[in-house]
Every structure is written in structure tokens, then in C-alpha cells.
Amino acid sequence: MNRRTVLFLSAICVALLPVNAFAQQSDVEGVKAASQAYYAALAVTDNGAAMEKVWAHTPYITYIGPRSKSIIVGWEPLKKMWEEINNITAERKVAVSGPHIHVNGNLAWEMAQETGSAKFKDGNEVKIDSLVTNVYEKLDGRWLIVSHHVQPKPQ
């Protein structure tokens, strides 16, 4: 290759790097926003409508919560679970700290710590100190949660 061709190809490579870096950073910010939306919806004790906005409505979504005895699979069973949980819950305050987010194409995952508390209508209150893995999928240009797995931190 001659010098002119090498310079031309180098310029193209340099020009493409910021676009790719911007796209990846934009996706990380989108996942962060999806995470914030999930935890905001978690604080709402409605008929499940808040969670409807942040979860993908696909048959392959999965959920393992702190009280789960099995894996919930699919949107309809998950929606029913949120309705049941919200019927017994008076208040939930959960915060995420130290998130580690990785984006790979239309999938992303977040690993973090959850802390906070949940108050139930019967007067019981539980403290939350857990490790969480959330998986997100970009569907129709929006990052939506497709899997949530939380477990108590070992003591």
C-alpha cells in the first residue's frame, strides 16, 4: 500500500472509534436508566402496573426473588406474582449500590448490592441486604429487564 492509502485507512479507523465508543456509552447509560426505573417501580405497591412498564413481556423472562421457592418464568406468571406481593406489602425501599454493568449487543447485565427494607401490611418489617443480578434486553430501542435474581448476602 502506498502512503496515501495507509493515511486514508487510518483516518477511517480513527473516525469510527468515537462513534462505537459513543454507542457503547449510550447503551450503558440506557441500562443505568432501566435499572433506576426498575427500582423506582419496586417502590410502588400498585396492581403491578409500574412493573409492567419496566419488564419485557416475553415468555422467557425469569425472576428469583428473596422469598422465591422456584423460578418464575414468563410475563403472565410474573405479573400475577407482583399483584400478590403488592397485596401484602405496605412499603418497599430498596437501593442499589456498586453496580457493575456490561453491555454486549442487545443484552446487558448488572451485578450489584441491594439494601433497604420492606414493610408488610401485617406489621412485619424485613431488612434487605442482598446481592443481585439483573439482565436487560434492548427491545424496540428500549432497555427492559428480562431476568432478576436476588439472594441474601452470606453472613
Side-chain angles (χ1 to χ4, degrees), residues 49-72:
M51 284 295 175
E52 265 189 76
K53 296 174 185 172
V54 298
W55 278 88
H57 296 196
T58 62
Y60 54 82
I61 63 172
T62 58
Y63 176 90
I64 300 174
R67 300 173 61 158
S68 294
K69 293 186 171 116
S70 64
I71 303 168
I72 296 172

Side-chain angles (χ1 to χ4, degrees), residues 34-55 63-66 78 81-83 85-87 89-96 110 113-120 128 130 132 134 136 145 148 150:
S35 176
Q36 291 169 352
Y38 173 75
Y39 286 96
L42 188 59
V44 178
T45 55
D46 62 3
N47 64 353
M51 284 295 175
E52 265 189 76
K53 296 174 185 172
V54 298
W55 278 88
Y63 176 90
I64 300 174
L78 183 60
M81 188 269 322
W82 280 117
E83 291 169 358
I85 292 285
N86 288 342
N87 282 335
T89 307
E91 180 180 74
R92 285 186 297 262
K93 294 180 182 177
V94 182
V96 175
E110 165 187 50
Q113 296 181 52
E114 286 183 346
T115 56
S117 64
K119 292 181 185 175
F120 295 92
I128 296 167
S130 304
V132 64
N134 294 317
Y136 302 88
I145 191 163
H148 175 81
V150 64

